[in-house]
């Protein structure tokens, strides 16, 4: 059975790059009927926080990336890492290193001065015929892996193709820090082994770790996973993605009014494609997804494309669902939908013109808040010739059947009678009943606002104009 995993560190929020990695790992497991595992790699004690952990879980839940097992936490598995470390010590494959931080810094500085690549020089590595000094007092040792000096590591990356690294390029990595907490490379190896991970799909910033991990797995006699390193995401300017490009928390997109399926669709196309298909469901994505069609080149994040995609999903969304998403946003503005038009019906009218739920809520708010038209707006859009037409319209609306078709006919009749183009009447009418000169079709807007609200707002506006 194929088993994939997503293993974020709770040192920050779930961002775009992490969400795409999670999506690819999730989809690969779903396509093959496998298992998707969530693991929280919380061994960075200085930077890991419960707030970040919860933000990751919230982001996964909002996106709908459900996991079959987990979340597992590395800090709850310390005894297991110590067991594996002791086995490596007993087999002569790991050793204690007593070099202090100052010694290591001096060693690397000397190597840089000589033009060499900074790396651990093996000073505490036991070798035949080598005499090690007695352990110094007051130094908490770290445990290092005896990486092979000879040969090379070759693996077939499912995205990048064959990769070979000489063992001479790899130094003896630290397995356990002085406090007994595992390093990233050691924790990952033990976890992937114990959890039976068959396919490791992760960002290509980890590709240099893979040969080290393969050597460690080989030393343990553990099975090797298959590896797929996904190229990074860049901003439109070709620079590494940052906050200024939109690399914010996934939950910021929730706050900004994006639908999760729109963000998932966009992330799926960020470095992967299925022909020229732009819009697809997650069911389709899982059926189509393969690693062979993941690009080897970095993808560029385009916020305008994401916004366009969200707009398409809003247009196609169920009106009742949109109403459920917009109502809390209206409540946050202090607005109640009670006594106003049915919110789902309003969504049907407004969603064609909105790009986000924020825009949708702002447009809907006009139907539930008190309106106080600005004098400047009226002065701009209300002409002298339109004033008598507004008064006549007010009288005819009183007894009119309150249906869109009847409202449309009434507007046409008044404009024809007073020799006006429809905008000459509709623009000031919008300002008076909605507070803004731009709304959806004026007949639909009037219908949803309702007779009582339209007439009371018209009466108030006409009174201020001295036309009542």
């Amino acid at each position: 059975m194929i088993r994939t995993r997503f293993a974020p560190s709770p040192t920050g929020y779930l961002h775009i790059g992490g969400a795409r990695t999670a999506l690819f790992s999730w989809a690969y497991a779903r396509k093959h009927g496998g298992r998707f595992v969530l693991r929280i790699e919380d061994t960075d004690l200085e930077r890991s926080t419960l707030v970040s952990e919860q933000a990751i879980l919230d982001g996964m839940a909002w996106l709908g990336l459900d996991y079959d097992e987990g979340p597992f936490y590395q800090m709850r598995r310390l005894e297991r890492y110590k067991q594996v470390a002791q086995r490596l010590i007993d087999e002569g494959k790991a050793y204690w290193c007593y070099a202090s931080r100052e010694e290591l810094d001096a060693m690397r500085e000397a190597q840089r001065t000589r033009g060499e690549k900074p790396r651990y020089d093996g000073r505490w590595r036991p070798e035949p015929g080598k005499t090690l000094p007695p352990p110094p007092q007051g130094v908490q040792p770290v445990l290092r892996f005896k990486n092979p000096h000879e040969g090379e590591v070759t693996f077939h990356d499912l995205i990048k193709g064959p990769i070979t690294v000489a063992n001479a390029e790899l130094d003896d990595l630290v397995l356990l820090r002085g406090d007994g907490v595992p390093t990233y490379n050691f924790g990952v190896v033990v976890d992937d082994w114990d959890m039976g991970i068959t396919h490791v799909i992760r960002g290509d910033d980890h590709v240099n770790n893979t040969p080290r991990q393969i050597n460690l797995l080989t030393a343990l006699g553990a099975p090797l996973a298959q590896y797929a390193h996904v190229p990074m995401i860049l901003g439109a300017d070709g620079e590494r993605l940052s906050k200024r490009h939109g690399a914010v928390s996934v939950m910021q997109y929730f706050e900004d009014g994006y639908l999760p399926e729109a963000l998932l669709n966009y992330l799926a196309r960020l470095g992967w494609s299925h022909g020229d298909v732009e819009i697809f469901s997650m069911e389709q994505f899982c059926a189509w997804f393969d690693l062979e069609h993941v690009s080897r080149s970095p993808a560029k994040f385009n916020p305008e494309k994401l916004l366009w995609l969200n707009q398409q999903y809003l247009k196609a969304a169920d009106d009742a669902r949109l109403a459920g998403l917009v109502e809390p946003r209206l409540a946050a503005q202090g607005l109640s939908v009670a006594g106003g038009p049915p919110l789902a019906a309003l969504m049907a009218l407004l969603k064609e013109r909105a790009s986000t739920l924020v825009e949708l809520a702002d447009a809907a708010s006009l139907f539930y808040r008190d309106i106080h038209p600005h004098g400047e707006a009226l002065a701009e859009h209300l002409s002298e010739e339109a004033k008598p037409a507004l008064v006549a319209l007010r009288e005819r609306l009183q007894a009119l059947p309150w249906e869109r078709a009847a409202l449309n006919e009434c507007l046409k009749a008044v404009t024809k009678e007073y020799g006006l183009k429809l905008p000459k009447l509709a623009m000031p009418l919008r300002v008076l009943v909605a507070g803004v000169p731009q709304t959806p079709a004026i007949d639909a807007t009037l219908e949803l606002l309702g007779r009582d609200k339209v007439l009371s707002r018209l009466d108030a506006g006409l009174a201020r104009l001295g036309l009542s």
Side-chain angles (χ1 to χ4, degrees):
M1 177 182 288
I2 284 178
R3 293 173 61 84
T4 66
R5 48 78 160 175
F6 177 53
S9 297
T11 55
Y13 302 111
L14 179 62
H15 53 78
I16 288 295
R20 185 187 64 169
T21 298
L23 172 61
F24 284 7
S25 298
W26 174 84
Y28 197 78
R30 293 288 171 265
K31 175 176 181 175
H32 296 284
R35 306 280 285 179
F36 176 57
V37 178
L38 177 61
R39 186 169 75 224
I40 305 296
E41 298 188 342
D42 55 351
T43 56
D44 187 339
L45 302 182
E46 290 185 2
R47 298 195 301 145
S48 295
T49 68
L50 292 176
V51 172
S52 293
E53 177 191 320
Q54 191 59 52
I56 291 169
L57 297 176
D58 290 346
M60 296 279 286
W62 179 62
L63 290 173
L65 299 179
D66 55 320
Y67 38 92
D68 304 299
E69 299 173 25
F72 298 106
Y73 296 84
Q74 290 187 321
M75 288 303 294
R76 300 177 190 176
R77 289 172 41 81
L78 295 184
E79 285 304 313
R80 173 57 178 159
Y81 305 130
K82 291 177 182 177
Q83 289 175 1
V84 177
Q86 189 59 52
R87 174 185 156 187
L88 290 170
I89 294 170
D90 294 343
E91 295 176 358
K93 297 174 181 176
Y95 61 94
W96 295 108
C97 170
Y98 292 86
S100 67
R101 183 180 299 275
E102 292 75 20
E103 286 181 277
L104 294 173
D105 288 343
M107 176 195 71
R108 295 187 183 103
E109 183 58 35
Q111 290 169 335
R112 279 190 285 266
T113 300
R114 296 193 298 268
E116 299 171 1
K117 177 182 177 181
R119 50 183 291 145
Y120 178 66
D121 60 7
R123 60 184 61 186
W124 283 95
R125 176 173 172 142
E127 301 284 7
K130 179 179 180 181
T131 302
L132 296 175
Q137 295 295 317
V139 176
Q140 193 69 38
V142 300
L143 186 68
R144 289 187 181 271
F145 173 59
K146 288 184 72 174
N147 192 77
H149 284 158
E150 306 297 328
E152 57 190 22
V153 181
T154 296
F155 66 98
H156 183 84
D157 190 292
L158 296 176
I159 294 173
K160 294 177 174 295
I163 295 176
T164 297
V165 176
N167 279 320
E169 293 294 313
L170 309 174
D171 58 5
D172 292 353
L173 63 91
V174 175
L175 303 179
L176 295 180
R177 303 184 184 96
D179 58 3
V181 175
T183 58
Y184 165 77
N185 280 302
F186 187 43
V188 163
V189 162
V190 177
D191 291 344
D192 285 347
W193 178 25
D194 286 354
M195 296 172 191
I197 302 303
T198 62
H199 292 73
V200 175
I201 302 170
R202 58 188 178 190
D204 66 359
D205 52 332
H206 288 293
V207 71
N208 291 333
N209 292 319
T210 304
R212 302 174 184 277
Q213 294 172 11
I214 288 175
N215 277 343
L216 191 47
L217 287 162
T218 301
L220 290 167
L224 300 181
Q226 295 190 65
Y227 295 89
H229 291 93
V230 183
M232 69 175 63
I233 302 173
L234 304 178
D237 56 3
E239 297 295 322
R240 190 180 182 93
L241 197 63
S242 64
K243 286 185 178 180
R244 65 188 175 88
H245 299 111
V248 294
S249 163
V250 161
M251 294 308 292
Q252 184 62 52
Y253 287 96
F254 163 78
E255 296 291 340
D256 292 345
Y258 287 79
L259 295 176
E261 59 267 35
L263 183 56
L264 285 171
N265 191 155
Y266 181 73
L267 292 176
R269 286 283 284 117
L270 207 54
W272 173 89
S273 63
H274 183 76
D276 295 326
V277 182
E278 291 284 355
I279 300 176
F280 43 80
S281 68
M282 283 300 99
E283 289 77 17
Q284 289 173 309
F285 177 56
C286 289
W288 294 338
F289 182 67
D290 57 29
L291 295 169
E292 291 77 11
H293 287 88
V294 175
S295 172
R296 296 185 182 185
S297 303
K300 288 191 175 182
F301 184 78
N302 184 337
E304 289 79 17
K305 182 66 174 292
L306 172 58
L307 189 63
W308 172 83
L309 198 58
N310 197 62
Q311 186 178 38
Q312 308 314 305
Y313 274 94
L314 281 177
K315 288 179 181 179
D318 177 74
D319 298 327
R321 179 194 172 203
L322 290 179
L325 295 172
V326 166
E327 186 169 359
R329 295 176 183 269
L330 293 173
Q333 299 179 38
L335 300 176
S336 170
V337 299
L343 191 51
L346 191 55
M347 295 298 98
L349 175 65
L350 299 176
K351 66 183 183 181
E352 291 290 325
R353 300 161 62 95
S355 296
T356 68
L357 292 172
V358 171
E359 292 181 9
L360 203 49
D362 286 345
S365 70
L366 301 176
F367 292 78
Y368 302 102
R369 70 169 70 250
D370 292 333
I371 297 301
H372 303 287
H374 292 293
E376 297 85 355
L378 280 172
E380 180 182 354
H381 297 288
L382 178 60
S383 62
E384 287 298 321
E385 57 187 337
K387 289 179 179 179
L390 275 173
V391 174
L393 178 66
R394 163 64 183 85
E395 295 306 314
R396 297 186 192 187
L397 290 177
Q398 181 71 44
L400 194 72
W402 208 259
E403 299 169 352
R404 184 173 180 178
L407 290 165
N408 182 273
E409 287 302 317
C410 181
L411 287 164
K412 286 181 179 177
V414 171
T415 53
K416 181 177 181 181
E417 181 178 334
Y418 285 86
L420 300 174
K421 297 289 187 181
L422 181 59
K424 282 287 187 180
L425 179 61
M427 294 290 272
L429 179 59
R430 285 186 171 99
V431 173
L432 289 172
V433 302
V436 292
Q438 299 293 333
T439 71
I442 185 61
D443 50 3
T445 299
L446 295 175
E447 180 185 42
L448 281 174
L449 278 170
R451 185 194 310 273
D452 292 345
K453 189 169 290 188
V454 167
L455 294 182
S456 66
R457 290 180 178 181
L458 261 179
D459 286 344
L462 292 173
R464 284 197 300 275
L465 293 169
L467 297 176
S468 57

